[in-house]
Amino acid sequence: WFKSAADGELWFLGTDIDAGNTKSENYAGGLDEVAIWKSVLTLAQIQTLYIQGKSFDISTNMNTNLVSYWDFDNTNDDQSGNSNTANIAGATYTGF
């Protein structure tokens, strides 16, 4: 669920938002290496991310237009350098 971050709106990843901004259901899966860019990625960039896998350093190698990047390695710190700290609720770190 996304709205304008510039307007001070909250962003929720991994939950269902119903009418009135009510969170109703959480995603029953895993989120890791979450990155948000302010532009659309090209097919070549998407292929690079897929081929390189988890060892690829997004913040160093794909930082053009990178807004936020959380690797979730036991931290909620934004690795993009833009200080968009995440609030993590109900997460279990699995050590992947």
Side-chain angles (χ1 to χ4, degrees), residues 38-96:
K38 62 181 172 182
S39 62
V40 177
L41 297 179
T42 66
L43 177 59
Q45 289 172 315
I46 294 168
Q47 289 172 332
T48 297
L49 286 170
Y50 180 77
I51 292 167
Q52 297 298 323
K54 279 189 69 164
S55 63
F56 187 63
D57 186 355
I58 291 173
S59 60
T60 299
N61 297 302
M62 292 188 68
N63 62 359
T64 302
N65 294 318
L66 183 63
V67 174
S68 298
Y69 167 58
W70 303 279
D71 60 11
F72 295 130
D73 289 341
N74 294 322
T75 180
N76 59 346
D77 294 335
D78 176 12
Q79 304 298 312
S80 73
N82 293 319
S83 301
N84 293 311
T85 302
N87 291 324
I88 300 172
T92 301
Y93 290 102
T94 59
F96 289 110

Side-chain angles (χ1 to χ4, degrees), residues 24-42:
S24 64
E25 298 176 30
N26 290 326
Y27 173 66
L31 292 174
D32 194 19
E33 307 291 328
V34 175
I36 299 172
W37 284 269
K38 62 181 172 182
S39 62
V40 177
L41 297 179
T42 66

